[in-house]
Amino acid sequence: MKKILISVLVLLISVYSPVGVALAYEYSVLAVGDYEDQYLPNLMFGDANYFDDYLEDELDWETTQYEVEPNPDGTGDDYNPTDRTAIGVSLGDFKDGDNIPQANQSDLLYFMGHGYSDHMVLDDDEVYASDIGSSYDPDTYSSNSAWNMDLEWIILGCCSVANRDDEDGVEWAKTLLGTPCRAHGIYGYMDSSPGTGSDELVAERFFSNACTGDEQSIWSSWINANEDTNNTNWGIIVHKDNRLDHLWGQGDVGSDTEGEPDIYQYQYGDPSEEIFRAVNSNSVTNHVYDLEKSNSVTNNLSCLASYTVKPEELDEDSIVNMFFDDQGELTKRQDSIRNVLLVGSAGSKDEDSDEEDSVINMVHDSKGKQTINNDNNGNILVQESTDSKDEDSNEDSVIDMVYNSEGKLINNKDNNGNLLVQGLAGSRLEINKTSGAVLYSTEFSEGTIDFGTDEAIDKAEQFIQSHGGKPSDAIVSKIRPLEKTFIDVSNDTTGKTETIGYQVEYKRTLNGMMVDGYNGDSIRLRIDKDGVSNYYRLWRDIQGNDDGNIKSNDTERKNIISSEQALDSAKENANKIYTISEEINPTDPELVYFSKSFIHDQQIVEPAWRVKIGDNAYVYVNAYTGEVEEY
């Protein structure tokens, strides 16, 4: 925060220290829910509310603005009426001028609404980079940006703004070059952004990453929150020296940059190899069914069965044994994912433990017994006090694995049984009680990698084998490069693009059709220069016969709708899933079995039409009912 400090005492303390004199940090939330344009559907306020609630109630930040354009399709409490500072969002709220307050008086701005690559959309106005100020002076290395005082971080819950387009990306980068003080970064999406349900989950996981235990940087927190929810259209434009900023009060914050700009844009590139796709898995089936030509189902082969599923029963030893020594004693060791963990023996159990205990028996007290403390968010937190030392380790002062005052390891979980183990560098391991999903993330390296897709697959295979084992039916479905691109503001162009990692994704088939969903059954790994920095595993067990073969619910075999009906349903309802700022033209209908996201308890998988509505964006239409499946 860049305040004019009068006190001599305060002047002696750097405002960029995470500790010291308590300063009042401020935020703005600008949320547009009402749109007149027929192609811009009205929006709900879940993500905007979450930012407002968390910053004010959990972090004690002060509200500069919480201004809204209410959604007339919703109810009066769709936004936080008690926190609202004004009705209506205008261009003046984003920049200095006649509007007081405005975003430049805040440390963080969150915008919720529609957007395009070159502008954000308000109800009756638009916000271009040039409106904020993007005229660049190469002699002073500065622009006329209005974001030139307090504002550090701009987080945009809208489509397309944080992209690397040669023209638009450069223009937005210039808004980070105001004088006397530069804003630090823009965090948003390079294409379609998540819609109702998923957007609030992104906000929730962002703050969980950024503000719990050994916190992740804003950069990693935003990326990991989106990748955990399979919203891989994220995009970031940030000064190199501010890439590892933490939220105020949660860790180090880089000083405002000076001199010649060194700004990069980050996003996933186009799939370098799409090895296995839904259309490949069921093209023969579609031909037999003649589904793409007929609006009516007349052939009995057009009837598809459902299948019964349950949470995966993981081989717990393969997950936790790497953390244990041979003596069954508490041990601290650094594992292959750069996470320092305190663990007990794989054989140590509570007599009355339920099935979760075998997964979390890595957290024991000094006598090998579990101690359980419930936190408000239902997370398991494993931490070590800064007083505990290891002769050959200088990391203990920052190892966020804490014993209680009696030297016993603390074990926290919520009433829902969701587990969280935290370690070094913001590393977080979560086991979701509802679905059995395993999610891991940590701060990750932006160093250029020296390996290609084949080696990325090898690294992924090795990691999966030692973290739950590789399912026999898992198939590599996609490999995507993670890229950073230099933004050359002096020449109004983008410079060299470097690959800094890969996302490797595994899926499977069922009855010749791919199992797929918004964030359903799959295994995803992000592999960077230092190893695996994000891991998502949801692999529900499919009910089988006594002989081990998969068994369908033949008695529930039903007729399915045509692909044309699926396209119509997707066109009408896609904005329930994504925030899309243009006319929707669905394409490429493909039959899959729909797998629900990790937050759901799913017992039956049913066929669905997967319909493409944008780059890396699909809508799933239930093949029995014609209704669009929820996230």
Side-chain angles (χ1 to χ4, degrees):
M1 188 175 206
K2 303 171 282 274
K3 302 294 183 188
I4 299 176
L5 304 177
I6 300 176
S7 168
V8 174
L9 175 62
V10 173
L11 284 172
L12 295 176
I13 301 176
S14 170
V15 297
Y16 290 97
S17 171
V19 296
V21 173
L23 300 176
Y25 308 125
E26 300 164 328
Y27 71 92
S28 291
V29 173
L30 302 174
V32 181
D34 182 22
Y35 286 93
E36 300 296 331
D37 192 310
Q38 63 172 325
Y39 298 127
L40 301 179
N42 295 331
L43 304 175
M44 307 302 285
F45 292 85
D47 53 330
N49 285 345
Y50 199 94
F51 266 81
D52 171 55
D53 287 338
Y54 201 97
L55 289 167
E56 181 178 40
D57 300 337
E58 300 298 327
L59 300 184
D60 294 325
W61 287 31
E62 294 183 358
T63 308
T64 300
Q65 305 161 285
Y66 181 40
E67 303 195 7
V68 301
E69 201 74 59
N71 178 353
D73 299 333
T75 60
D77 60 357
D78 283 336
Y79 57 89
N80 292 341
T82 56
D83 294 346
R84 184 201 69 223
T85 57
I87 293 290
V89 179
S90 68
L91 174 61
D93 295 321
F94 290 83
K95 55 182 290 184
D96 55 359
D98 296 333
N99 283 51
I100 300 295
Q102 40 86 17
N104 196 37
Q105 295 172 301
S106 302
D107 297 285
L108 182 151
L109 164 66
Y110 185 78
F111 170 71
M112 182 210 84
H114 287 290
Y116 297 91
S117 63
D118 60 346
H119 69 281
M120 294 172 277
V121 185
L122 311 183
D123 180 28
D124 56 1
D125 208 343
E126 297 168 334
V127 181
Y128 289 83
S130 58
D131 293 322
I132 303 301
S134 59
S135 296
Y136 178 69
D137 182 352
D139 295 327
T140 62
Y141 302 124
S142 64
S143 72
N144 63 335
S145 175
W147 292 340
N148 62 352
M149 289 299 294
D150 278 359
L151 187 60
E152 278 90 30
W153 310 294
I154 301 95
I155 304 180
L156 303 177
C158 66
C159 297
S160 302
V161 170
N163 65 77
R164 66 181 178 205
D165 179 88
D166 280 350
E167 180 177 347
D168 299 331
V170 172
E171 291 301 296
W172 286 110
K174 291 176 182 177
T175 67
L176 302 179
L177 295 171
T179 185
C181 300
R182 292 175 174 177
H184 292 191
I186 298 172
Y187 301 80
Y189 297 90
M190 56 90 170
D191 204 271
S192 57
S193 61
T196 302
S198 179
D199 54 1
E200 186 172 354
L201 189 58
V202 170
E204 177 184 337
R205 298 191 72 84
F206 168 75
F207 283 111
S208 182
N209 292 335
C211 304
T212 306
D214 191 5
E215 299 84 359
Q216 297 175 7
S217 67
I218 299 172
W219 185 74
S220 283
S221 295
W222 183 249
I223 295 172
N224 285 328
N226 278 281
E227 294 195 9
D228 287 348
T229 53
N230 204 24
N231 290 299
T232 54
N233 282 335
W234 58 264
I236 295 174
I237 300 173
V238 65
H239 289 282
K240 179 180 179 180
D241 289 345
N242 295 126
R243 182 181 64 83
L244 295 180
D245 279 0
H246 293 73
L247 289 175
W248 287 116
Q250 307 303 315
D252 293 334
V253 179
S255 301
D256 296 343
T257 63
E258 298 178 347
E260 189 172 0
D262 197 6
I263 300 176
Y264 286 85
Q265 193 274 352
Y266 298 84
Q267 68 177 58
Y268 275 107
D270 295 329
S272 56
E273 292 187 39
E274 194 150 21
I275 298 171
F276 170 78
R277 296 181 60 233
V279 68
N280 295 332
S281 70
N282 65 26
S283 58
V284 175
T285 304
N286 283 352
H287 177 70
V288 172
Y289 292 169
D290 202 22
L291 294 173
E292 297 181 359
K293 298 180 181 179
S294 174
N295 284 322
S296 62
V297 177
T298 59
N299 191 320
N300 187 53
L301 288 176
S302 297
C303 300
L304 291 176
S306 61
Y307 290 82
T308 301
V309 296
K310 62 180 181 179
E312 179 182 18
E313 296 181 1
L314 292 171
D315 179 357
E316 295 157 355
D317 286 347
S318 67
I319 297 178
V320 302
N321 276 354
M322 73 179 81
F323 305 129
F324 302 138
D325 66 11
D326 295 333
Q327 306 301 318
E329 297 177 352
L330 283 174
T331 306
K332 183 181 72 183
R333 70 175 56 153
Q334 190 163 355
D335 70 3
S336 60
I337 51 178
R338 298 171 291 140
N339 188 14
V340 177
L341 298 173
L342 297 178
V343 298
S345 73
S348 57
K349 304 277 186 178
D350 282 343
E351 291 181 0
D352 58 350
S353 66
D354 57 21
E355 62 183 6
E356 299 162 357
D357 291 346
S358 58
V359 179
I360 63 170
N361 56 20
M362 64 184 77
V363 284
H364 290 70
D365 65 18
S366 58
K367 296 180 180 180
K369 296 180 180 179
Q370 288 188 337
T371 58
I372 297 178
N373 297 308
N374 297 337
D375 72 355
N376 294 330
N377 297 320
N379 298 323
I380 270 200
L381 305 176
V382 183
Q383 299 181 319
E384 181 179 42
S385 70
T386 56
D387 292 333
S388 93
K389 294 289 179 181
D390 186 75
E391 289 183 357
D392 57 0
S393 172
N394 59 4
E395 299 173 326
D396 289 1
S397 61
V398 294
I399 295 174
D400 221 2
M401 294 180 154
V402 175
Y403 283 101
N404 63 20
S405 59
E406 298 177 353
K408 294 183 178 181
L409 199 58
I410 298 176
N411 170 0
N412 298 310
K413 71 176 181 179
D414 68 5
N415 295 329
N416 296 322
N418 296 325
L419 315 178
L420 174 64
V421 181
Q422 293 185 317
L424 271 178
S427 55
R428 301 167 57 83
L429 175 66
E430 176 182 340
I431 302 173
N432 184 273
K433 173 66 174 178
T434 300
S435 63
V438 177
L439 297 91
Y440 169 82
S441 69
T442 190
E443 197 76 39
F444 70 98
S445 170
E446 69 149 2
T448 304
I449 60 174
D450 58 0
F451 56 87
T453 56
D454 289 343
E455 188 171 346
I457 293 175
D458 289 342
K459 291 176 181 291
E461 301 266 337
Q462 294 172 18
F463 189 91
I464 294 171
Q465 289 292 2
S466 62
H467 294 77
K470 181 185 174 184
S472 60
D473 54 348
I475 305 170
V476 177
S477 63
K478 185 187 298 181
I479 304 176
R480 301 186 70 192
L482 176 58
E483 299 171 343
K484 74 172 183 179
T485 302
F486 176 68
I487 298 185
D488 186 355
V489 295
S490 297
N491 295 303
D492 286 325
T493 188
T494 53
K496 181 181 179 181
T497 292
E498 302 173 63
T499 299
I500 61 174
Y502 288 101
Q503 184 190 68
V504 183
E505 183 178 49
Y506 292 77
K507 292 186 179 177
R508 61 179 166 182
T509 61
L510 180 58
N511 191 27
M513 293 159 48
M514 187 166 73
V515 178
D516 201 13
Y518 302 110
N519 196 21
D521 282 25
S522 59
I523 299 175
R524 296 192 304 270
L525 306 90
R526 185 184 65 229
I527 303 169
D528 63 29
K529 181 176 179 290
D530 294 330
V532 172
S533 53
N534 188 279
Y535 179 59
Y536 176 93
R537 181 190 181 107
L538 175 60
W539 208 265
R540 297 179 176 97
D541 288 334
I542 303 172
Q543 179 176 302
N545 296 315
D546 293 338
D547 60 6
N549 293 322
I550 292 174
K551 178 183 178 181
S552 66
N553 299 320
D554 288 330
T555 57
E556 298 182 13
R557 188 177 291 271
K558 301 176 183 178
N559 291 340
I560 64 174
I561 66 170
S562 69
S563 57
E564 286 85 354
Q565 290 172 300
L567 289 168
D568 291 341
S569 180
K571 183 178 181 67
E572 183 177 351
N573 298 287
N575 269 298
K576 294 179 180 179
I577 307 300
Y578 298 97
T579 303
I580 303 173
S581 304
E582 58 190 2
E583 183 178 5
I584 299 170
N585 294 301
T587 61
D588 302 335
E590 306 169 13
L591 271 177
V592 299
Y593 274 101
F594 179 71
S595 176
K596 294 184 178 180
S597 301
F598 74 97
I599 58 177
H600 297 290
D601 176 18
Q602 184 173 17
Q603 300 178 11
I604 302 292
V605 292
E606 297 179 336
W609 287 99
R610 187 181 86 157
V611 178
K612 186 174 183 179
I613 57 155
D615 290 341
N616 199 41
Y618 299 90
V619 166
Y620 298 84
V621 180
N622 188 290
Y624 292 157
T625 66
E627 296 180 357
V628 167
E629 299 281 6
E630 296 181 351
Y631 177 84

